[in-house]
Amino acid sequence: QLRGVNVCSMEWSNEGENVVKSAKTAVSVWKANLIRLPVSQDRWLGKAPGQTDGGTGYRKVVDQVLDICRESN
C-alpha cells in the first residue's frame, strides 16, 4: 500500500524550509513509503537569485532527503 507525502519548499527556497525535518517525520511518524520532492531547475544548476555556490548546497539538501528515504527501507 502506498502512503505518499509531498515535501514542498525546494521549488521556492535555496535551502529548503524544514525539508529534511519534514522528510524524517513523514518516514518515521507517518510511515510514508513514497516522497514527492519537487525541485527547481534554476536552483539545481545554481542560477537562482542568492546562490553563490553553483547549486552545491541545494543539491546537498536533496541528497539528505534521498538518504532519509533510502535508510527507511
Side-chain angles (χ1 to χ4, degrees):
Q1 179 177 8
L2 293 177
R3 282 187 231 60
V5 175
N6 182 53
V7 179
C8 60
S9 86
M10 295 301 292
E11 322 89 293
W12 67 75
S13 171
N14 293 335
E15 297 84 27
E17 296 172 9
N18 295 314
V19 169
V20 173
K21 182 179 177 184
S22 295
K24 285 181 183 178
T25 299
V27 169
S28 64
V29 177
W30 300 340
K31 306 299 183 202
N33 55 17
L34 178 73
I35 300 280
R36 178 179 182 266
L37 183 67
V39 295
S40 162
Q41 177 179 330
D42 287 343
R43 294 179 196 292
W44 185 269
L45 298 173
K47 297 181 179 182
Q51 285 184 299
T52 58
D53 64 355
T56 302
Y58 185 86
R59 291 188 299 272
K60 184 178 178 181
V61 174
V62 172
D63 285 340
Q64 288 175 329
V65 173
L66 292 174
D67 288 341
I68 290 165
C69 295
R70 285 185 201 111
E71 292 168 3
S72 72
N73 290 330

